[in-house]
Amino acid sequence: MFLEPFSKENRLPQNKRLVLVTGALQVLIGIGAVPAGLGFILDPSGSKIGMSPEMLAGSPFADFLVPGIVLFLVNGIGSLAGAVLTLRRHAIAGKAAMGLGAFLMAWIVVQVWVLGPPLHWLQILYFVLGVVEFGLGWQIERE
């Protein structure tokens, strides 16, 4: 099955609107995460994007390098890869969307826990996007 991931046998017959909305959401999340993750990788202090290592006090991280790598790879590249799976209607697209949505929600929960209050509006937005992505993935799985 995985050797020929885009063969007709491995594609799910899905509602076109559901596929487009899910894929577009994954592209949006990926496009937001790739430059932010790269910013942290290239400048682990976070100063170029308005963050400081002091924000990580009490966390296992001295700087933003490891969070930047995870942000870039999972929420960035992972979401863009998820969009390809979804738009190509691959059989694992629903599971991928659910996994990516769950990871995004967990990412925000950990971020709020580590950084503490006040809650930023982007954290609320991305948590909601994670919920929506998970729900869309669940809907794809049901079809």
Side-chain angles (χ1 to χ4, degrees):
M1 179 175 174
F2 219 74
L3 296 176
E4 297 181 35
F6 298 114
S7 67
K8 287 186 180 180
E9 297 81 38
N10 292 335
R11 289 188 183 181
L12 297 174
Q14 298 167 6
N15 175 311
K16 187 176 182 178
R17 187 176 309 156
L18 177 62
V19 168
L20 291 176
V21 168
T22 306
L25 177 62
Q26 291 169 322
V27 168
L28 174 74
I29 293 167
I31 286 175
V34 164
L38 272 177
F40 286 134
I41 293 167
L42 297 174
D43 177 25
S45 75
S47 63
K48 291 184 180 173
I49 58 174
M51 306 287 270
S52 71
E54 291 80 32
M55 298 173 83
L56 296 173
S59 80
F61 307 110
D63 60 27
F64 291 99
L65 179 61
V66 172
I69 291 169
V70 174
L71 178 63
F72 177 78
L73 290 177
V74 180
N75 290 333
I77 301 302
S79 291
L80 295 174
V84 170
L85 291 172
T86 299
L87 295 171
R88 298 289 305 265
R89 298 181 177 165
H90 191 279
I92 65 166
K95 288 178 179 62
M98 290 171 65
L100 288 164
F103 186 87
L104 183 54
M105 289 184 282
W107 174 264
I108 296 300
V109 167
V110 169
Q111 188 181 90
V112 169
W113 175 67
V114 169
L115 299 179
L119 199 60
H120 193 277
W121 67 269
L122 281 173
Q123 292 167 320
I124 297 167
L125 173 65
Y126 276 95
F127 186 85
V128 170
L129 292 178
V131 170
V132 171
E133 184 176 15
F134 185 91
L136 290 169
W138 182 74
Q139 186 63 36
I140 289 171
E141 280 297 299
R142 290 185 58 214
E143 290 204 2

